Amino acid sequence: MREAVAMETITSNALKTLLVAVAVLLPSMMALAQENKPKTPASIETIQKHNIQLLTEQLNRGWRAFCDAPVDEGVMSLFQGINPSDAALHVMTVTNRSVELPIKSISQLRDFDISPERKTLIYVNAFHTADSYFSVQEHLSLLQNSRRDLNVIVVDFARDVAQLYYAVRHHLSVHGYAIYNVLKALREAGIAPQDITLAGHSVGANIAALGAQLFARGSKQLVGQLVAIDPATMCRTTDILVKQGVAERVVVLHGEGDVFGVRVPVGHIDIYPNGIGYFPRRKLQPGCDSKICSHMYPFVLFMEALIEGVMIPATKCESWAKFRQGDCQFQNTLNIGLIYPSTARGLYFCLTQPNPPFTYMEHGLRYKTSPARTRDPEKSAKSGKKMTKGTKG
C-alpha cells in the first residue's frame, strides 16, 4: 500500500515537472516553428516598389550611392520603360503641336516642322528628380512651344528614376549612338552641322557629348556647339565625356561640383554661377538646401534664359577669388543661353538669385553679399508659366 502511494506521489511530481517544462519551452518552440515556416515570397510589384524607393533615396546622396544601390535588376527588367528603345523624341508639327515619337522613329524627323532656315537645338534629357519645383518635362515642353524661332528636338532618356538608372549604368553607349543617328538624320534633312546646338543636363550632357563625338568621327564634321549643364561625374570617371574637341564650341554651365557635377573646367567656356563648384567646398546654390538642388539649379538658369529671354550675364575672371575682389575683365562678358561671342574662352563667373527671376542683370557681375533666402516653389511655378518677351539667347 505504501509503495503504491509513493509511486503515485512520484508520478504526480514528475507530471507537474513535465507540465512546468512544457509551459517554459512552449513559447520558444512556437517561435522556432514560426521562423521555420515557409514564407510567402514578395510579389514582383512589391520588389519593384522597393527598387524605386531605394533608387530615389540613393539618388539624393550622389552618383556613387545611386550606381551602387542594391536593386533587383532581374525584377526591374520585367517592367516597361528601361530598354533603350523606350526612349522618346519630342518634335513640333507645323500646327505648333508637340508630338512624342519612339526613338526608333529618328528617320521620320524630316516629316515634321524642321527647317534649314532656322538654327537647331537638340536637348538631351537624362536626369530625373521627383522635386516638382524643377519640373524638367514641363520646362522642356515650354521650351519647345515658346522657341518657334528654333528647330527644337527633345530626346528624353529619363522620364523616371528607373530609366535614369539604366541610362547611367548600362545604356550610355546606346543612347550616344541614338544622338549620333539624330544628327545624321538632320544633316540628311538639310540642317548644317554648324547650325546645331546640342544641350544636356547631368547624364544628358555626357550622352550629348558622346553623340557629337561619334558624329565627328563618322562625318568628319563638328556640330556647332555643345552646352553641357553641370555634366554628371557618372558611375565611372571614364564616362565623363564632355571635353573640348567634340564640338566647335563647348560651353559648360557648372552647378554643384561635388557628388553630382564635374568641378574642373572641361570646355572652351566654363561658367560658375555664384562660384559654386569652382572649389571643392560643400556649399550650395542660392536658395538650395541640398546638393541635388544645386545640381538642378543651372538647368533652371538655362531654361529661364531660353524660355523667358532673361539676360543672365557672366564676366571673365581668372578665379573666384579675383571675382570677389572685383579684379576681372568686365569688358569680356557673355550671357547664359545659346549665343556666345566667338572669341570667348576661359572661366566666367556671376551672381544669381534664389528665386525667379534668377538674374541680377548687370549687378550680377559684381560680387556682393546678400541675405540667404530659401527658394519659393509657388513663386517659381508661377514664373515658369509666364512667358515674357525679350531677346532670347
Side-chain angles (χ1 to χ4, degrees):
M1 185 67 177
R2 288 180 179 178
E3 292 179 356
V5 172
M7 183 62 68
E8 183 177 349
T9 302
I10 293 172
T11 302
S12 177
N13 290 337
L15 182 60
K16 290 179 180 179
T17 302
L18 179 62
L19 290 174
V20 170
V22 169
V24 171
L25 295 176
L26 186 58
S28 299
M29 293 172 65
M30 292 179 66
L32 182 62
Q34 188 67 25
E35 290 179 4
N36 293 330
K37 182 180 178 181
K39 296 181 179 179
T40 303
S43 68
I44 292 175
E45 288 75 17
T46 301
I47 297 174
Q48 180 67 352
K49 183 178 180 180
H50 175 71
N51 285 336
I52 300 303
Q53 181 180 357
L54 185 61
L55 288 175
T56 302
E57 292 171 352
Q58 295 304 309
L59 180 58
N60 290 318
R61 298 175 55 194
W63 290 120
R64 181 172 297 180
F66 184 72
C67 295
D68 293 339
V71 295
D72 190 331
E73 290 192 4
V75 169
M76 291 182 71
S77 66
L78 300 176
F79 288 79
Q80 294 182 345
I82 55 87
N83 293 318
S85 59
D86 293 319
L89 293 167
H90 296 265
V91 293
M92 296 296 293
T93 67
V94 292
T95 57
N96 292 334
R97 187 169 63 92
S98 179
V99 176
E100 179 179 321
L101 302 173
I103 195 70
K104 62 183 180 181
S105 301
I106 290 174
S107 60
Q108 299 176 21
L109 285 175
R110 64 170 64 216
D111 298 331
F112 291 85
D113 188 24
I114 295 173
S115 171
E117 303 300 319
R118 298 193 293 257
K119 300 287 187 180
T120 298
L121 170 63
I122 304 171
Y123 187 91
V124 182
N125 178 54
F127 190 78
H128 173 81
T129 174
D131 192 341
S132 60
Y133 172 79
F134 297 108
S135 56
V136 174
Q137 271 72 24
E138 182 179 352
H139 274 98
L140 295 177
S141 177
L142 287 170
L143 174 63
Q144 274 198 308
N145 285 283
S146 63
R147 293 305 301 264
R148 300 301 288 127
D149 59 314
L150 301 170
N151 301 315
V152 180
I153 301 168
V154 174
V155 189
D156 198 349
F157 294 120
R159 285 176 287 187
D160 55 47
V161 72
Q163 209 173 30
L164 171 61
Y165 175 79
Y166 274 82
V168 70
R169 285 275 293 170
H170 304 297
H171 297 161
L172 182 66
S173 297
V174 178
H175 290 338
Y177 191 73
I179 298 303
Y180 163 63
N181 285 329
V182 170
L183 291 169
K184 281 204 310 180
L186 290 174
R187 185 184 60 178
E188 292 168 1
I191 304 297
Q194 63 267 24
D195 290 336
I196 296 175
T197 292
L198 274 166
H201 167 249
S202 191
V203 180
N206 289 305
I207 293 174
L210 177 57
Q213 186 178 48
L214 292 172
F215 180 77
R217 289 176 183 174
S219 67
K220 309 304 180 185
Q221 292 179 289
L222 292 174
V223 297
Q225 184 169 254
L226 169 66
V227 179
I229 306 167
D230 211 24
T233 50
M234 308 293 284
C235 300
R236 300 172 293 271
T237 55
T238 53
D239 289 339
I240 302 173
L241 302 171
V242 176
K243 57 186 176 181
Q244 296 182 19
V246 299
E248 291 181 4
R249 181 188 298 114
V250 177
V251 180
V252 181
L253 184 56
H254 295 267
E256 186 263 348
D258 187 13
V259 298
F260 286 104
V262 172
R263 177 176 62 85
V264 297
V266 291
H268 297 105
I269 299 170
D270 284 82
I271 307 171
Y272 291 88
N274 307 295
I276 307 301
Y278 182 72
F279 291 114
R281 295 176 179 172
R282 297 173 181 263
K283 290 186 177 181
L284 302 174
Q285 290 287 356
C288 283
D289 55 7
S290 67
K291 290 185 177 296
I292 199 169
C293 170
S294 289
H295 186 46
M296 288 299 304
Y297 187 85
F299 165 80
V300 180
L301 293 183
F302 187 68
M303 289 295 112
E304 181 173 81
L306 266 61
I307 295 172
E308 301 194 25
V310 173
M311 292 177 58
I312 308 176
T315 187
K316 185 173 182 177
C317 227
E318 290 183 11
S319 67
W320 175 244
K322 292 281 189 181
F323 179 81
R324 289 177 58 129
Q325 296 167 8
D327 185 11
C328 299
Q329 301 176 26
F330 292 105
Q331 73 278 9
N332 192 337
T333 63
L334 49 75
N335 291 307
I336 292 172
L338 296 178
I339 302 173
Y340 295 91
S342 59
T343 57
R345 292 289 188 277
L347 307 180
Y348 288 77
F349 299 91
C350 64
L351 294 181
T352 55
Q353 302 195 79
N355 293 308
F358 293 101
T359 182
Y360 276 122
M361 300 299 287
E362 67 276 8
H363 302 293
L365 299 176
R366 300 279 182 175
Y367 181 80
K368 61 181 177 181
T369 57
S370 59
R373 290 184 291 164
T374 57
R375 54 185 173 87
D376 182 351
E378 183 177 351
K379 182 177 180 182
S380 177
K382 291 178 180 177
S383 174
K385 295 177 182 177
K386 181 181 179 182
M387 295 295 102
T388 58
K389 301 297 182 180
T391 304
K392 300 178 181 180

